Amino acid sequence: MSAHTQTAEKGQNTALMCQESYVCSGTDEAIFECDECGSLQCQRCEEELHKQERLRNHERTRIKPGHVPYCDSCKGANGNIMHNSATSSRQRAAVRCQMCKINLCVECQKRTHAGGNKRKHPITIYNVSKPQEQDEEEGMDEETKRRKMAEKVVSFLLVDETEEIQVKNEEDFIKRLDCTPEEHLKVLSIFGNTGDGKSHTLNHTFFYGREVFKTSPAQESCTVGVWVAYDPVRKVVVIDTEGLLGATVNLSQRTRLLLKVLAISDLVIYRTRADRLHNDLFKFLGDASEAYLKHFTKELKATTARCGLDVPLSTLGPGVIIFHETVYTKLLGSDHPSEVPEKLIQDRFRKLSCFPEAFSSIHYKGTRTYNPPTDFSGLRRAIEQQLENNTTRSPRQPGVIYKALKALSDRFSGEIPDEQMAHSSFFPDEYFTCSSVCLSCGCGCKNSMNHVKEGIPHESRSRCRYSHQYDNRVYTCKGCYERGKEVSVVPKTSASTDSPWLGLAKYAWSGYVIECPNCGVVYRSRQYWFGNQDPVDTVVRTEIEHVWPGTDGFLKDNNNAAQRLLDGMNFMAQSVSELSLGPTKAVTSWLTDQIAPAYWRPNSQILNCNKCGIPFKDNDTKHHCRACGEGFCDGCSSKSRPVPERGWGAAPVRVCDSCYDNRGIQLGLVKDAARPVYWVPDHEILHCHNCRKEFNVKLSKHHCRACGQGFCDECSHDRRTVPSRGWDHPVREMLT
C-alpha cells in the first residue's frame, strides 16, 4: 500500500492533461472529452484523431473547469453499467491509470488494481470540485436542489446547560457549521415552553422534516443546552433552545443562557400550542426586552469596538414571530377581519405593563390544525420575508456571530446565588450583575459580571456605613485636595524618614502619624507639642468606602507595630549598651531633642539652670519651660499655667517662674482662636517663605492673608483687599 500511496501522490495534479499523446506526447492540457474514445484530448490530438473515418462521428464534450471524466470500467462497449447496479447514474472517475490508460472510479480501482503488478501502476488522482457537482445538479428543479442541500445538514451542541461553549474557537465554529468564513449569515432562534414542539417546528420549516434537531415522545426534554445547524438554502444559522417551564437543575443559568441566544439572533420565533395566548408569553418577551436594553446593549457595543467589527451588534434587537398553533379555538383576529393581530398583541403587552421596546418588530403567525400534520408553510413564508429584510438587521460573517456569543458568555457567566434571587422577573438583574456584596453595609455591586477581569473596580449605587470591624474610613490629604489632587493617606506608626526604632519611640510618645507623599507628616495623634485637634478638622478629608470580598485596602500600617517595636527595642538595647556613662539619661535626652518643638533649647546645650545657674549633673533631670523653651531645674520650673500661644491648648503645663510671673492677658490664646484655618501655624514657620531668613526674637512672623504662609516684614509690607478669603479691606500680603 505504501508504494501505491507514494505513486498516487507523485501523479496528482490539478490540470487535466491530454491522455491520447497522439500528437502532443501528453504535454498539452486537455480541452475535450470523447466518451467513445474513453479519453481526454488536447486540441491537436482531437483534430488529428477524428479526421479518421471511423472516429469522425464520435461525440465530444468540451471540458469545463473542474471536469472529471467517467469511469471506463463501469460501462461496456454498448454503454451499459457493468456493476454497481444500486445506482442509476454513471460513476465519475477517481484516478487514471497511466499504464493501462483508463479512468477508474474508487470501486473499480479496488477491483482491478488492488493486487498483483497493477497495484504498482502510476496513477493520476482527479480532484472532484464543486463546479462538477453543480453540473450534475443542472438538470434538477429548484425544490430538488434545496432538498439535496438539506440532506447534508447536521446539528451540533454549541452551549451546554452550564453555559459552557462547546466549540474550541472561531475556526471550529465555522467548520462545524459547514460554511465558508466569508459568507454573510443571519441567526434565527426559537423559544417556547417545553413540549410545544420547537425542534419539530425547525425540522419541518427548514429541513423538509429531516430530524436535524432531535425530537422525542418521552416526557423528558430532548433538547438540553443550545443546538445549532446551518441552513445553506436561506443562509441562516438556526438555533434550537431548551424549553421554558421544564425540570432543570440550573434554572437560573438556563434562563440567562436564553437571553444570550436572543441577543445574537436576528429573528426569534416564540412557539406556543396553547389554544389561547398565555400571560407567560408576554412576560417573557417583556422581561427579555428590558434585560436586553439594560445589560446587553452596552456589552454588544463594547464587543463591536473591542473586536474591531465592521457590523454594529446592538443597533436594535431581533424581530419576533409569535407562531401560534390552535386546535379548538380561532386564531387571533379571525373574529373581526378589521382587527390586526399585531395590534391586539401590542394592546395585551400594555395591559400587562410589559414593553417589548428592544425588538425591531413583532409579528403574529397562526395556524389551526384540525387534523395533523401541522401546516408550517405560512410560518416558512413569514420567516423568509423577515430574513430578506435588511433595513434593521444586516447579515454578518459567522466569525462575528461567534465573537458576540463568546463576549456575552465571558461577561455573563458564573453561578447565581439563590439567596440573591428576585423571582418576579424572567431575567432579574442578579443574572447579569456582579454577585459581590459589601461586607460592611451589605449593598451589592452594580457593575456587570466579571468586570474585575477588565480591571474595573466594584461600585455600589448607595453610600456605605462605617464599620469598626473593617475600619473602612479612608483619609485624603486636605492640602492636596485643595490643590486639585486627591491623595489617600493612611495612619502609620512612623514617618517614612524615621528609622524603625526611632519611629516606634516617636509613636509611643506622640501617637500615630498621617503622612502625605506631597506634604510630608501632617498629623500626630498625641501631639503634645502642637495640641491634639481632630485631623478631620485640620489636615484630612474623610470618606467611608465599601469593603468588598477579597480586598485588604483597609488594613492599617500599625497592624505590624508589635513586631516593629520588638525589632526597635533590640536595636535600642544594642545602642544603649555601647554608651559608657549614663545610658538611660543620654538616650532620653537625645530622643527628646528629636521630637521637641523648634523653640526648645536642645538638651545638649543646657549645661546650667537658666535661672539659678546650678550646673546639671549626669543624672539630673532637665525641664523645659513650655513658654520660653529654656532649660531649668525642678525647683525653678515647678509652676504651671496654660500656654495656648505655643500650641499647648487650655490645659496647664510646666513653665519657669519668670514666665509664670509674667502671665497676663493671654493674647496668644485670642490669636489662636481667631487665626483662619488656612494659615500655617506659628510653630511650623521657621523661615520666611520668600527670602528664607530664619525667624528669631528680633525677626517677627507675619501671615500673608492670601496664601496663609509666614513671611518677614520686608517680604509682606504690601496691602490690598483679598475678597476670596473674606478680607474686604486692605490687609497684609506678600510681595508679588
Side-chain angles (χ1 to χ4, degrees):
M1 286 298 292
S2 61
H4 178 96
T5 305
Q6 291 174 1
T7 308
E9 289 176 352
K10 290 179 181 179
Q12 182 174 353
N13 60 15
T14 55
L16 295 175
M17 307 306 293
C18 180
Q19 297 171 350
E20 284 292 345
S21 305
Y22 187 71
V23 177
C24 68
S25 301
T27 58
D28 290 1
E29 185 177 349
I31 304 296
F32 298 96
E33 178 185 22
C34 181
D35 194 32
E36 295 179 72
C37 292
S39 64
L40 303 178
Q41 301 166 3
C42 67
Q43 184 76 37
R44 292 188 292 166
C45 291
E46 187 270 338
E47 290 178 357
E48 292 298 324
L49 280 171
H50 292 91
K51 285 180 180 179
Q52 302 176 41
E53 186 66 30
R54 62 186 180 88
L55 305 178
R56 186 171 296 171
N57 295 325
H58 283 186
E59 185 176 346
R60 283 93 70 190
T61 305
R62 181 175 287 273
I63 294 174
K64 296 181 179 180
H67 179 80
V68 177
Y70 287 110
C71 175
D72 295 325
S73 296
C74 287
K75 61 184 189 317
N78 59 356
N80 294 328
I81 303 298
M82 294 177 61
H83 70 281
N84 196 18
S85 58
T87 178
S88 60
S89 60
R90 297 163 61 185
Q91 298 297 305
R92 291 282 178 180
V95 298
R96 178 175 178 81
C97 178
Q98 297 176 6
M99 294 286 290
C100 302
K101 295 190 175 182
I102 58 173
N103 300 315
L104 299 170
C105 64
V106 175
E107 292 189 17
C108 290
Q109 181 193 9
K110 291 179 181 179
R111 181 169 54 84
T112 61
H113 284 62
N117 292 331
K118 289 186 176 181
R119 187 169 68 90
K120 299 181 180 180
H121 286 186
I123 62 173
T124 299
I125 298 175
Y126 292 114
N127 292 321
V128 180
S129 60
K130 291 186 177 179
Q132 180 64 42
E133 297 174 0
Q134 292 171 0
D135 288 343
E136 294 179 0
E137 294 176 0
E138 284 181 358
M140 302 180 187
D141 58 37
E142 192 65 28
E143 189 65 19
T144 306
K145 288 181 181 179
R146 288 189 170 196
R147 288 180 178 272
K148 187 174 180 63
M149 293 170 70
E151 289 175 1
K152 302 177 182 179
V153 177
V154 293
S155 63
F156 62 93
L157 180 64
L158 179 60
V159 187
D160 65 12
E161 67 274 17
T162 62
E163 300 181 283
E164 292 291 332
I165 296 180
Q166 299 299 299
V167 293
K168 299 176 184 177
N169 48 39
E170 181 182 329
E171 290 73 21
D172 188 31
F173 174 70
I174 297 172
K175 179 181 178 182
R176 298 185 72 173
L177 281 181
D178 193 21
C179 66
T180 62
E182 294 76 22
E183 283 193 89
H184 284 70
L185 317 174
K186 284 195 173 184
V187 180
L188 178 143
S189 57
I190 191 167
F191 298 90
N193 292 333
T194 185
D196 272 355
K198 299 184 303 299
S199 303
H200 179 78
T201 299
L202 295 178
N203 290 337
H204 283 268
T205 303
F206 293 95
F207 307 112
Y208 300 94
R210 286 185 61 248
E211 195 174 84
V212 173
F213 295 105
K214 185 180 178 182
T215 59
S216 171
Q219 281 292 321
E220 294 79 14
S221 176
C222 58
T223 302
V224 179
V226 173
W227 290 75
V228 174
Y230 172 57
D231 178 10
V233 176
R234 299 170 184 84
K235 305 292 184 184
V236 60
V237 178
V238 183
I239 300 180
D240 191 14
T241 64
E242 190 173 347
L244 300 167
L245 306 182
T248 181
V249 178
N250 305 306
L251 175 62
S252 300
Q253 290 178 271
R254 190 278 315 274
T255 309
R256 181 172 61 190
L257 175 58
L258 295 181
L259 190 60
K260 295 179 189 177
V261 173
L262 183 145
I264 65 169
S265 300
D266 299 291
L267 187 61
V268 170
I269 302 172
Y270 192 99
R271 170 73 155 108
T272 177
R273 282 183 177 174
D275 275 323
R276 294 177 178 85
L277 296 179
H278 293 165
N279 286 349
D280 61 350
L281 180 155
F282 298 93
K283 186 162 181 56
F284 173 85
L285 293 176
D287 291 346
S289 171
E290 182 180 356
Y292 179 89
L293 293 174
K294 191 172 185 179
H295 302 288
F296 280 57
T297 302
K298 179 181 178 182
E299 184 59 30
L300 288 170
K301 287 181 179 177
T303 303
T304 303
R306 187 166 54 245
C307 300
L309 305 179
D310 296 331
V311 182
L313 298 174
S314 61
T315 305
L316 202 58
V320 176
I321 296 178
I322 298 175
F323 181 52
H324 184 202
E325 181 182 4
T326 67
V327 177
Y328 303 107
T329 58
K330 296 179 181 180
L331 299 177
L332 194 65
S334 60
D335 287 338
H336 304 283
S338 60
E339 292 182 342
V340 180
E342 285 75 12
K343 177 67 167 56
L344 299 175
I345 289 175
Q346 292 291 346
D347 293 341
R348 185 79 173 272
F349 272 117
R350 279 193 292 272
K351 288 179 181 178
L352 295 172
S353 298
C354 299
F355 305 98
E357 300 164 343
F359 303 120
S360 56
S361 62
I362 296 180
H363 297 274
Y364 174 86
K365 181 56 62 177
T367 182
R368 188 170 181 180
T369 306
Y370 295 97
N371 295 302
T374 304
D375 180 15
F376 295 101
S377 59
L379 175 63
R380 189 179 301 113
R381 287 192 298 271
I383 290 173
E384 290 174 350
Q385 182 180 359
Q386 291 300 310
L387 291 176
E388 290 173 2
N389 182 9
N390 296 328
T391 55
T392 55
R393 304 279 292 193
S394 58
R396 53 207 181 277
Q397 294 175 342
V400 176
I401 298 171
Y402 175 81
K403 287 176 182 176
L405 178 62
K406 183 71 166 61
L408 294 177
S409 295
D410 291 343
R411 168 64 73 182
F412 305 109
S413 61
E415 295 184 0
I416 305 171
D418 290 335
E419 63 270 12
Q420 298 182 25
M421 205 57 55
H423 293 288
S424 59
S425 170
F426 270 98
F427 302 101
D429 289 345
E430 288 81 2
Y431 285 3
F432 311 102
T433 54
C434 178
S435 59
S436 296
V437 175
C438 175
L439 301 176
S440 179
C441 66
C443 294
C445 176
K446 70 176 184 178
N447 290 335
S448 59
M449 284 185 160
N450 300 312
H451 61 91
V452 177
K453 295 179 180 178
E454 299 179 359
I456 302 173
H458 295 289
E459 293 181 87
S460 178
R461 291 185 176 86
S462 59
R463 301 192 60 148
C464 191
R465 63 171 179 262
Y466 178 73
S467 170
H468 290 280
Q469 178 183 358
Y470 299 105
D471 194 14
N472 54 330
R473 182 185 288 115
V474 177
Y475 298 118
T476 56
C477 177
K478 186 177 290 186
C480 292
Y481 179 79
E482 291 173 352
R483 291 193 294 269
K485 301 177 182 178
E486 188 161 346
V487 180
S488 296
V489 293
V490 179
K492 302 190 297 183
T493 55
S494 62
S496 58
T497 55
D498 293 336
S499 61
W501 71 273
L502 174 59
L504 266 297
K506 288 185 178 181
Y507 173 67
W509 180 256
S510 59
Y512 67 81
V513 173
I514 297 180
E515 183 178 19
C516 171
N518 301 324
C519 307
V521 176
V522 295
Y523 182 78
R524 289 185 183 273
S525 61
R526 292 192 297 275
Q527 197 170 12
Y528 291 124
W529 313 132
F530 312 128
N532 193 28
Q533 294 175 303
D534 190 337
V536 176
D537 297 333
T538 55
V539 295
V540 297
R541 297 173 65 252
T542 303
E543 292 182 8
I544 307 301
E545 291 198 353
H546 293 279
V547 184
W548 302 106
T551 60
D552 57 355
F554 301 102
L555 298 179
K556 297 295 187 285
D557 179 76
N558 54 13
N559 285 344
N560 62 352
Q563 184 59 46
R564 293 178 62 190
L565 183 58
L566 289 175
D567 296 341
M569 291 304 294
N570 291 333
F571 187 84
M572 184 183 289
Q574 180 181 355
S575 302
V576 170
S577 66
E578 296 173 357
L579 300 174
S580 59
L581 180 63
T584 304
K585 286 292 181 182
V587 171
T588 302
S589 297
W590 179 84
L591 179 60
T592 304
D593 287 342
Q594 300 300 309
I595 57 179
Y599 71 93
W600 277 24
R601 183 179 296 278
N603 280 282
S604 59
Q605 298 179 13
I606 302 174
L607 304 178
N608 306 288
C609 174
N610 193 56
K611 183 178 181 183
C612 66
I614 297 177
F616 287 112
K617 297 180 181 179
D618 292 335
N619 293 327
D620 289 343
T621 301
K622 303 172 184 177
H623 298 283
H624 283 83
C625 172
R626 270 54 172 177
C628 64
E630 295 294 338
F632 299 87
C633 63
D634 184 68
C636 297
S637 60
S638 59
K639 298 179 175 60
S640 61
R641 69 169 176 85
V643 188
E645 66 271 18
R646 290 294 195 179
W648 295 96
V653 291
R654 182 186 292 268
V655 293
C656 65
D657 293 343
S658 299
C659 291
Y660 182 80
D661 294 337
N662 293 333
R663 72 186 185 279
I665 299 175
Q666 300 298 323
L667 182 60
L669 181 61
V670 177
K671 281 185 176 181
D672 191 59
R675 180 175 285 116
V677 293
Y678 69 93
W679 280 21
V680 179
D682 284 355
H683 59 264
E684 294 183 10
I685 302 174
L686 305 179
H687 306 84
C688 173
H689 191 69
N690 185 41
C691 67
R692 309 306 296 172
K693 289 181 181 178
E694 186 174 352
F695 291 117
N696 50 45
V697 178
K698 296 182 179 180
L699 187 63
S700 300
K701 305 172 186 177
H702 301 281
H703 283 85
C704 172
R705 270 54 172 175
C707 65
Q709 294 289 344
F711 297 88
C712 64
D713 184 64
E714 285 185 20
C715 297
S716 60
H717 57 72
D718 285 355
R719 300 290 187 272
R720 71 177 180 89
T721 59
V722 187
S724 60
R725 293 292 194 181
W727 305 96
D728 297 326
H729 59 281
V731 290
R732 183 184 294 270
E733 187 189 34
M734 68 167 286
L735 290 171
T736 56

Coordinates of all heavy atoms in Angstrom, one line a residue, residues 93 96 292 323 426 541:
A93 N -14.8 9.1 -12.5 CA -13.5 8.5 -12.1 C -12.9 9.2 -11.0 O -13.1 10.4 -10.7 CB -12.6 8.6 -13.3
R96 N -6.7 7.9 -12.8 CA -6.4 7.4 -14.1 C -5.1 6.6 -14.0 O -4.1 7.1 -13.5 CB -6.3 8.6 -15.1 CG -5.9 8.0 -16.5 CD -5.9 9.2 -17.5 NE -5.5 8.7 -18.9 CZ -6.3 8.1 -19.7 NH1 -7.6 7.9 -19.4 NH2 -5.9 7.7 -20.9
Y292 N -32.4 43.0 27.8 CA -31.5 43.3 26.7 C -31.1 44.7 26.7 O -29.9 45.0 26.5 CB -32.3 42.9 25.4 CG -31.5 43.2 24.1 CD1 -30.8 42.2 23.6 CD2 -31.6 44.4 23.5 CE1 -30.1 42.4 22.4 CE2 -30.9 44.6 22.3 CZ -30.1 43.6 21.7 OH -29.4 43.9 20.6
F323 N -45.5 32.2 16.8 CA -46.1 31.2 16.0 C -47.1 30.4 16.9 O -46.8 29.7 17.8 CB -45.1 30.2 15.5 CG -45.7 29.1 14.6 CD1 -46.5 29.3 13.6 CD2 -45.4 27.8 14.9 CE1 -47.1 28.3 12.8 CE2 -45.9 26.7 14.2 CZ -46.7 27.0 13.1
F426 N -38.5 37.1 34.6 CA -37.9 36.0 33.9 C -36.3 36.3 33.9 O -35.6 35.3 34.0 CB -38.4 35.9 32.5 CG -39.5 35.0 32.3 CD1 -40.8 35.6 32.3 CD2 -39.4 33.7 32.2 CE1 -41.9 34.7 32.1 CE2 -40.5 32.8 32.0 CZ -41.8 33.4 32.0
R541 N -9.5 64.9 54.8 CA -10.9 64.7 54.5 C -11.3 63.2 54.7 O -10.4 62.3 54.5 CB -11.3 65.0 53.0 CG -11.0 66.5 52.7 CD -11.2 66.8 51.2 NE -12.6 66.5 50.7 CZ -12.9 65.5 50.0 NH1 -12.1 64.6 49.6 NH2 -14.2 65.4 49.6

